[in-house]
Structure formats: C-alpha cells, structure tokens
C-alpha cells in the first residue's frame, strides 16, 4: 500500500512532483518519508518506521539503492562477500553480476541506479509478495510499489489513463488480474521473480528466478524429506533472527491447517521461544477450536479474534490495500483484525502462507486447474479462450496456476499483514521453494510427501486434527480421503456443527444477514455507473444479479477499484 515511487524523465530535467500517498490507517505505526532528487529523476519513499534500518537507503557518487520490505539475509551476505557494510556489499554484488538481487531472501522489492553505467533496475522478490508497477512512454518512466500513487503521479504529469477491460473481465471471472496486467491499460506489474531494466531510454523485463527452470529431482523419499527439513530449518532461522536483532517477539499465525503450525512448531522446537500466536475465524468454527488446543498443549500465548459479518462492510478501505486487483473478500477477514494487533510488540509476522501450494495443492489435472483459473458459471467465450491461451504459454498448467492465481493471489495476505509489519513465510524461501517444486508430482499429489515429512520430522504437528479434512494427517490415505468425503457431506446438511463453515464464511453472511446484504447491494448499485463501457456494465450487472456472493464480491471490487483509480 505504501513503499517507493520513482519518476524518470527521458527527455529533459524533471520538474518537482508532489506524490500522493494513501492516508495510513489508524492502526498503522509511525510512517517515514524520504526523498532523492537527481537531474532527471525523483524518488520518494513513504514507509513504516518498523525495520527502517533494514530498508536500505543508499545514495553516493556511484549508485543509489532503495529497499522496501525486509531482506533477511543481508548480514549473512556481508560475511559471505567480505563486505564491511551494506554499501560495500551492494557494490561488490553489482560488480560480480548485474542481477545481484537474486541473492536476496525475504519479503522485499528494490530500486537500483548505477550512475556511471546509467542503468536502472527495479525488482520484486522471487514469489512476488512485494509488488512493483511501472509506466513507460517516450517521455518518461514511472515505477513504484503502489498503483494508486503511481496513477496519481501520471495524472499530475497529464498522462492519459484508461480502464483495461481484459483485466476487468479477469477480475470478474477469476477473482484476480493475471499476468502483467493491472486495471489501468497504461500501467503494468512485474510478476514474481521478475525485474525491469532501464538503459538507453529503453525498458526490458526478464526473470531472474523462475520455477520453470527447475528440473525434477531423482532421489529417495528419505533424502527428499531430509532436504526439505534442512532447507525449512534454514529459512526459519533467517526469518526469526531478524526479530531477535531488534528484540521483538515472534508473532505467528495459527490455524487449523498444516502450514501455520509447521512454521510455529519448527520455530519453537529450534529455540525461538518468544512466540505469540494469533488466530481469526468465525466463533465456534473448527479452525478456532483446533488452534486453541494446539496453543494450550504447547503453552503458547494465543490471541483469538472472532470474525463477524460487519468485516465485509469497509469496502473502500479493503480495496485501497490491494488497488482492486484481487476480490476484496479474499482478505477482508485479515483486514478486520489488524486493529487488534497494534498493541503487540512484534517484528515480522510469521505465516505459513502458500505452504499448501508449495507442497502439492497446485498439482492436479489440467481440467481442474482450468476450473480454478475460470471460476464463474456464466460463459464468456473470449475469457475462456484467453485462459486456454494463457495455459499454453507455460511449461505446464501447474506453473500457469502458480504464477497467476497463487503467487499474486495469495500474496494478498502479505499485502494486508504488511500494514502492521513485514510478512514472512518459510515455504517461500528460495532454496526451499525450489527444492519443493523439484519433487515429482506423484509424491506431491494430495500432499503425500508433505504428510510423510511432517510425520517423520514434526510428529507434534500431526497430532492435531487437520481442518481441511476434519481428521488427523497421521491417518492413512484411505482414512484421509474418507474424512474429506465425510466433511463435504456435513457441510451440505442443514445442521449446526464446527465443520459447517470455513475460515471466512462471507457467502453465508451475505445470504443470511439482511443489513450486510442491503449495504453491499447499495454500494454496488451506487457505483456501477462508473463503468463507462456499456457491454462491460451490462455483464457486471448480470453477474451481480445471477451469481453467488463470491462473484458479487468481484463485481463490488471492480466498481470500487474504478472509484479508487479513476476518480
């Protein structure tokens, strides 16, 4: 939501710009603004004071280098490259190879300019959890972390902008804007592990990290488990030492799933004892109960936040966090509890985000993957053709799913948690992520190897019910499949049970809560006139009237995003 922005003039000296940032929420901590101006460029960063020493801000005669986010291995890199400080490290890394940022680990994005070579680089991290947007024409280039701020800068510069209708239909049919698109035709986004190079008044994008380049490993199951465990432990160390450096507690999500408890158990077993866990779900739902059982058994302080239907109402605030590029209900549950975390003394927010994907949930047949990429009942032939062509661009359908729906979609949790701190997940450590992807699909299907790893190295994790199947992961695969089937049946029965809902039951609340339903309907119909294209407007209204709330929420997001970006 905040971060850095850089405007570069390609023709003449740049005139001073007043960048417009979103107003911080009341629960956010102190913000800091800093600026660099050159003859033909202007850079500004508006960022949280937390971890400010880690957000490198270097400007000397040779280069400038700016970081938004948290690079957790900077201290180790100083040792590895015999550098006395960060400035010397960056100089050595750049001298060795231009895409030096491939050495970084963490939740980061950055901007680099070598003043002698006259070359710029901007980049996000390997999984794209810190976003980079960019605009380019023959006169100027503008790059930054926040789409709203970048769009406002373009308006100040008298640049025209327009709605990207393909992106709008993707939001409606898939809940997420895919590839390098945004809702603004003239503005693109970098994908995970991608960088933008600017030299000789030209731009070039390429990947410095791409899972497509990783070959499948040929090894025994025992060796695979040992490799996974070693790399996971190394990631835990990197991500928790940064808290200790600043005397922070470790704040960790805890749910009924496997991923968050893997992160929490591993860290605690490795000696990171100052843990505070937090859970958020509907009151009485299994996710809440399982988390409480885990915390009590292992004497971990637990903050529990109950979700309620009114979390769906601050539509404009939630859309502002992710610029309307993802359906707003994907993270309204996270946004609703942030205010309650503000009094905790913590550094990073530790999560298991994307663990399930990394360890196998993305492995499926092409038809099921396509159904995840196109998730409405209404048939839009052009959009279905787009999805077919999109899948064809990738080595396999799984990679298409990971790079479009997973990396960008699930990073929405990062974007929201980053309002309070810097979010980390050991499953996204480059070494772990790469090795996990290299495991043959037949071992990842239905999390087969994931469960064996847990049973072998973290048996405590397996001792509690797994919310996804309503059974323990220690059961054999036939029992696990039975539990999945049993839970699916229970969810369809007209009875009250802790397995009835899910972590964020927005559809149920919309259907059953008249006040919430009327407020959201009112928001939609008050703003749908902002869509100027008559065909798109007709389709949006038809979807809102005929589809379930999951799709209605996408329609609400689209009109709210147009309000945010184009007003």
């Amino acid at each position: 939501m905040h971060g850095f922005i850089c405007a570069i003039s390609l023709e003449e000296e740049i005139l001073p710009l007043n960048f417009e940032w979103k107003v911080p929420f009341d629960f956010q901590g102190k913000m800091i603004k800093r600026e660099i101006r050159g003859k033909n460029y202007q850079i500004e960063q508006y960022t949280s004071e937390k971890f400010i020493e880690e957000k490198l801000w270097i400007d000397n005669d040779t280069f400038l280098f700016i970081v938004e986010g948290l690079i957790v291995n900077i201290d180790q890199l100083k040792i590895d490259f015999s550098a006395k400080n960060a400035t010397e490290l960056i100089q050595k890394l750049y001298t060795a190879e231009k895409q030096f940022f491939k050495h970084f680990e963490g939740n980061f994005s950055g901007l680099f300019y070598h003043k002698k070579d006259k070359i710029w680089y901007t980049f996000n991290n390997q999984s794209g959890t810190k976003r980079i947007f960019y605009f380019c024409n023959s006169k100027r280039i503008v790059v930054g972390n926040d789409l709203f701020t970048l769009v406002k800068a373009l308006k100040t510069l008298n640049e025209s902008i327009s709605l990207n209708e393909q992106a709008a239909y993707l939001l409606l049919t898939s809940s997420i804007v895919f590839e390098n698109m945004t809702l603004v035709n003239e503005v693109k986004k970098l994908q995970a592990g991608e960088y933008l190079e600017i030299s000789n008044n030209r731009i070039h994008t390429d990947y410095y990290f791409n899972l497509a380049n990783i070959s499948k490993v040929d090894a025994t199951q025992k060796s695979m488990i040992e490799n996974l465990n070693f790399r996971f432990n190394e990631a835990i160390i990197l991500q928790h030492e940064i808290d200790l450096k600043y005397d922070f507690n470790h704040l960790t999500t805890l749910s009924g799933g496997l991923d968050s408890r893997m992160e929490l158990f591993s860290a605690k077993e490795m000696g990171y004892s100052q843990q505070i866990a937090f859970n958020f779900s509907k009151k009485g739902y299994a996710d809440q109960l399982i988390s409480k059982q885990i915390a009590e058994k292992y004497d971990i302080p637990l903050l529990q936040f109950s979700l309620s239907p009114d979390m769906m109402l601050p539509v404009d605030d939630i859309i502002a966090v992710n610029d309307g590029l993802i359906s707003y209900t994907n993270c309204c549950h996270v946004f609703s509890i942030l205010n309650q975390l503000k009094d905790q003394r913590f550094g990073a927010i530790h999560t298991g985000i994307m663990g399930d994907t990394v360890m196998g949930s993305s492995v499926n047949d092409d038809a099921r993957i396509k159904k995840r990429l196109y998730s409405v009942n209404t048939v839009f032939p052009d959009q279905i053709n787009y999805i077919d062509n999109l899948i064809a661009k990738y080595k396999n359908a799984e990679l298409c799913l990971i790079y479009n729906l997973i990396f960008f979609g699930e990073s929405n949790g990062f974007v929201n948690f980053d309002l309070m701190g810097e979010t980390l997940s050991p499953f996204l450590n480059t070494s772990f992520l790469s090795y996990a992807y290299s495991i043959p699909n037949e071992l990842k299907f239905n999390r087969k190897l994931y469960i064996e790893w847990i049973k072998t190295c973290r048996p405590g994790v397996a001792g509690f019910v797994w919310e996804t199947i309503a059974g323990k992961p220690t059961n054999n695969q036939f029992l696990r499949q039975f539990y999945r089937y049993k839970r699916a049946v229970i969810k369809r029965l007209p009875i009250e049970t802790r397995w009835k809902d899910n972590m964020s039951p927005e559809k149920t609340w919309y259907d059953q809560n008249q006040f919430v339903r009327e407020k959201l309907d009112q928001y939609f119909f008050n703003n749908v006139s902002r869509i100027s294209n008559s065909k798109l407007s007709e389709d949006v209204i038809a979807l809102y009237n005929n589809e379930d709330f999951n799709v209605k929420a996408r329609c609400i997001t689209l009109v709210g995003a147009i309000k945010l970006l184009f007003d």
Side-chain angles (χ1 to χ4, degrees):
M1 181 166 157
H2 299 110
F4 64 76
I5 186 167
C6 174
I8 304 168
S9 173
L10 302 179
E11 291 185 334
E12 55 192 16
E13 292 186 18
I14 195 164
L15 297 175
L17 292 170
N18 292 316
F19 296 114
E20 181 178 346
W21 297 94
K22 295 166 184 166
V23 178
F25 298 108
D26 291 341
F27 56 75
Q28 290 184 259
K30 183 179 178 182
M31 304 291 288
I32 288 178
K33 185 179 290 186
R34 44 194 185 183
E35 182 183 68
I36 297 174
R37 293 193 183 192
K39 181 180 179 181
N40 68 328
Y41 60 84
Q42 180 178 341
I43 304 166
E44 189 170 284
Q45 184 179 36
Y46 189 49
T47 190
S48 169
E49 185 181 45
K50 185 176 286 186
F51 290 120
I52 194 64
E53 293 87 352
E54 303 296 322
K55 298 173 183 178
L56 299 180
W57 183 264
I58 302 169
D59 183 21
N60 57 37
D61 292 340
T62 306
F63 68 88
L64 64 83
F65 182 60
I66 293 161
V67 170
E68 175 61 26
L70 197 56
I71 302 173
V72 296
N73 65 332
I74 281 287
D75 290 342
Q76 184 59 50
L77 288 173
K78 290 177 192 174
I79 295 170
D80 295 344
F81 287 86
S82 302
K84 295 189 289 291
N85 51 48
T87 301
E88 184 177 337
L89 172 66
I90 302 305
Q91 181 63 63
K92 285 189 172 186
L93 289 174
Y94 175 78
T95 301
E97 55 186 321
K98 297 298 185 283
Q99 288 79 51
F100 62 89
F101 29 85
K102 73 178 186 181
H103 293 284
F104 297 156
E105 290 291 342
N107 179 24
F108 63 84
S109 60
L111 179 71
F112 176 85
Y113 176 51
H114 197 278
K115 297 178 181 179
K116 179 181 178 181
D117 295 346
K118 297 189 182 305
I119 187 168
W120 294 84
Y121 289 103
T122 187
F123 52 89
N124 58 19
N125 64 343
Q126 293 85 347
S127 51
T129 55
K130 285 287 187 187
R131 296 167 184 177
I132 293 287
F133 303 97
Y134 63 95
F135 165 89
C136 176
N137 65 13
S138 60
K139 295 180 180 179
R140 59 181 58 91
I141 297 170
V142 186
V143 301
N145 294 116
D146 188 77
L147 180 58
F148 167 86
T149 301
L150 195 153
V151 165
K152 289 294 184 181
L154 295 181
K155 291 178 180 178
T156 300
L157 293 165
N158 295 316
E159 297 287 357
S160 298
I161 61 168
S162 56
L163 178 67
N164 185 326
E165 292 172 9
Q166 172 63 75
Y169 275 103
L170 279 170
L171 181 60
L172 296 170
T173 58
S174 306
S175 84
I176 294 172
V177 176
F178 291 162
E179 297 190 277
N180 67 349
M181 283 184 277
T182 73
L183 288 169
V184 182
N185 263 317
E186 295 75 16
V187 180
K188 308 300 181 187
K189 67 176 185 284
L190 290 183
Q191 293 190 271
E194 197 174 20
Y195 68 90
L196 173 73
E197 177 185 313
I198 306 167
S199 60
N200 298 319
N201 288 357
R202 295 178 180 274
I203 68 167
H204 166 73
T205 61
D206 203 352
Y207 290 94
Y208 69 91
F209 175 82
N210 195 320
L211 291 173
N213 298 325
I214 296 172
S215 302
K216 296 298 181 181
V217 68
D218 182 12
T220 64
Q221 182 169 300
K222 180 175 181 292
S223 174
M224 291 179 193
I225 288 173
E226 289 173 350
N227 263 288
L228 285 171
N229 201 55
F230 173 78
R231 293 161 195 259
F232 195 78
N233 290 348
E234 290 292 298
I236 291 288
I237 292 170
L238 275 177
Q239 296 182 1
H240 285 72
E241 286 297 318
I242 199 73
D243 288 335
L244 299 185
K245 184 176 178 179
Y246 296 95
D247 196 28
F248 284 131
N249 292 324
H250 312 297
L251 184 68
T252 307
T253 57
L254 181 60
S255 70
L258 299 181
D259 309 329
S260 61
R261 72 175 84 162
M262 269 295 282
E263 201 284 339
L264 181 61
F265 270 68
S266 299
K268 190 170 177 62
E269 287 184 7
M270 294 170 66
Y272 298 103
S273 58
Q274 298 302 309
Q275 298 280 352
I276 300 173
F278 70 100
N279 165 265
F280 47 97
S281 66
K282 183 180 178 182
K283 186 175 182 180
Y285 174 57
D287 196 76
Q288 186 184 66
L289 303 176
I290 296 167
S291 299
K292 186 176 180 181
Q293 292 170 3
I294 294 171
E296 288 179 349
K297 174 73 180 289
Y298 290 92
D299 195 27
I300 299 169
L302 176 66
L303 307 172
Q304 288 200 291
F305 307 117
S306 294
L307 303 178
S308 60
D310 60 1
M311 75 179 193
M312 301 160 63
L313 297 180
V315 177
D316 288 330
D317 286 345
I318 299 168
I319 290 174
V321 177
N322 67 22
D323 293 302
L325 299 178
I326 301 171
S327 179
Y328 94 98
T329 51
N330 285 20
C331 252
C332 62
H333 56 310
V334 175
F335 183 83
S336 71
I337 61 98
L338 294 179
N339 186 58
Q340 300 173 75
L341 292 174
K342 65 182 180 181
D343 296 326
Q344 301 298 318
R345 178 173 172 74
F346 63 89
I349 297 178
H350 301 276
T351 76
I353 290 177
M354 298 193 216
D356 196 47
T357 297
V358 171
M359 293 309 301
S361 69
S362 61
V363 176
N364 222 314
D365 60 75
D366 288 5
R368 290 179 183 271
I369 288 176
K370 183 176 177 179
K371 192 172 181 179
R372 290 181 67 181
L373 292 168
Y374 185 91
S375 52
V376 293
N377 294 320
T378 306
V379 175
F380 293 103
D382 288 347
Q383 298 310 305
I384 292 174
N385 289 336
Y386 170 86
I387 296 298
D388 289 336
N389 292 331
L390 178 66
I391 293 173
K393 292 180 182 180
Y394 289 82
K395 193 174 181 180
N396 53 59
E398 181 192 5
L399 280 172
C400 179
L401 181 74
I402 290 173
Y403 273 88
N404 290 285
L405 196 70
I406 305 301
F407 276 161
F408 190 72
E410 293 194 22
S411 70
N412 201 25
F414 277 73
V415 174
N416 278 265
F417 282 136
D418 284 353
L419 298 172
M420 299 295 294
E422 294 296 337
T423 316
L424 298 169
S425 171
F427 293 96
L428 298 181
N429 171 272
T430 311
S431 176
F432 181 87
L433 174 63
S434 300
Y435 192 80
Y437 183 74
S438 76
I439 294 169
N441 281 1
E442 57 268 24
L443 290 176
K444 289 195 292 183
F445 184 67
N446 278 339
R447 293 77 155 182
K448 179 180 178 181
L449 191 68
Y450 189 16
I451 292 169
E452 290 305 313
W453 169 33
I454 289 171
K455 288 162 63 176
T456 302
C457 301
R458 296 283 187 272
V461 171
F464 298 89
V465 171
W466 179 12
E467 179 266 344
T468 299
I469 65 169
K472 293 183 179 180
T474 48
N475 295 313
N476 63 48
Q477 62 179 346
F478 301 107
L479 267 178
R480 291 199 299 270
Q481 192 60 38
F482 168 74
Y483 282 130
R484 288 179 191 274
Y485 176 77
K486 179 182 175 182
R487 189 187 176 199
V489 171
I490 288 174
K491 290 182 74 172
R492 288 165 173 77
L493 295 176
I495 58 174
E496 286 297 319
T497 166
R498 63 176 178 166
W499 304 108
K500 184 69 177 176
D501 293 308
N502 53 41
M503 288 176 65
S504 47
E506 294 90 351
K507 180 182 182 299
T508 301
W509 284 336
Y510 176 86
D511 292 340
Q512 297 179 359
N513 190 300
Q514 181 180 351
F515 177 77
V516 167
R517 185 169 61 252
E518 288 177 351
K519 283 290 185 182
L520 293 178
D521 288 350
Q522 182 183 49
Y523 182 93
F524 173 75
F525 287 108
N526 283 350
N527 288 286
V528 69
S529 60
R530 297 175 187 275
I531 302 176
S532 58
N533 180 289
S534 58
K535 176 66 167 60
L536 177 59
S537 178
E538 290 172 7
D539 287 340
V540 172
I541 292 172
L543 285 171
Y544 196 86
N545 288 330
N546 297 317
E547 296 270 358
D548 67 16
F549 179 69
N550 290 328
V551 179
K552 293 181 194 293
R554 303 173 191 181
C555 300
I556 291 170
T557 304
L558 177 60
V559 300
I562 292 172
K563 176 183 175 183
L564 173 73
L565 299 171
F566 293 93
D567 266 9

